[in-house]
Amino acid sequence: MLAILTYISNLISEMTEVSIADLDTAINAVLQNLPGINTLYPGQTELLNCLLKYDNLFYTNSTNSGKTLPTVIYPDILKHLNSIGYHFPSKPKVLFLTALNSLKLSLVNNVKTLGLNAEAVSSENLEELLNSDTSVFLISPEVLKLKAVTRILV
């Protein structure tokens, strides 16, 4: 199982209510740029809706349930919503917690294959990545438990 923890830079003090129609518009716009993906499963859309309602979320589900895609497109969803008048952070970021360190690089490669901006987090690069244009960060429990990393994230 994978666990997802979202982190949004410049945390929103009051979350904006997004209509389902606007969320669907944003999803369709983002999916147009992803090769071979035309639609989301209902659970994936629901996960995006939950992400929009809460600035931090912990979500688990079984392997191959489709939980990765909504999370990695979330920053692009927010950017599209901003383009139609919403006010989310201009450089949204997602911190994706993988189950194992060995899965992290594989997931980064898969996300990059979709044309999305993703990087693997280490104790050496976290601060630099948070200040970069990278939108999706993949981190393992082995790295997350390091005091140097948790100090930067808190």
Side-chain angles (χ1 to χ4, degrees):
M1 278 196 198
L2 295 175
I4 299 166
L5 173 71
T6 63
Y7 166 80
I8 303 172
S9 64
N10 304 321
L11 290 175
I12 305 163
S13 59
E14 187 174 310
M15 295 303 291
T16 305
E17 185 71 29
V18 175
S19 73
I20 296 297
D22 287 345
L23 176 57
D24 287 341
T25 299
I27 290 170
N28 290 330
V30 170
L31 291 182
Q32 286 179 359
N33 298 319
L34 299 181
I37 301 173
N38 301 317
T39 188
L40 296 180
Y41 298 122
Q44 292 173 312
T45 302
E46 182 61 28
L47 177 54
L48 281 168
N49 194 27
C50 287
L51 286 168
L52 288 169
K53 289 180 180 178
Y54 309 102
D55 60 346
N56 289 290
L57 179 71
F58 186 79
Y59 177 80
T60 62
N61 208 335
S62 61
T63 302
N64 280 339
S65 66
K67 66 195 157 297
T68 303
L69 182 61
T71 308
V72 299
I73 66 172
Y74 181 64
D76 289 338
I77 296 289
L78 292 181
K79 289 174 188 174
H80 182 80
L81 289 169
N82 283 343
S83 76
I84 60 173
Y86 288 90
H87 301 287
F88 290 102
S90 59
K91 292 184 177 183
K93 301 186 184 295
V94 170
L95 184 63
F96 188 107
L97 181 62
T98 65
L100 299 169
N101 201 31
S102 59
L103 294 175
K104 183 172 58 177
L105 293 177
S106 173
L107 282 169
V108 167
N109 289 332
N110 290 343
V111 172
K112 285 183 172 183
T113 300
L114 294 173
L116 300 170
N117 192 355
E119 294 295 336
V121 174
S122 69
S123 59
E124 294 83 29
N125 71 358
L126 178 59
E127 198 161 359
E128 177 185 337
L129 286 175
L130 288 175
N131 293 317
S132 74
D133 289 334
T134 302
S135 299
V136 178
F137 307 101
L138 289 100
I139 191 169
S140 66
E142 296 93 335
V143 174
L144 184 61
K145 72 180 180 180
L146 298 174
K147 288 183 183 184
V149 172
T150 54
R151 256 183 267 143
I152 292 171
L153 290 175
V154 176

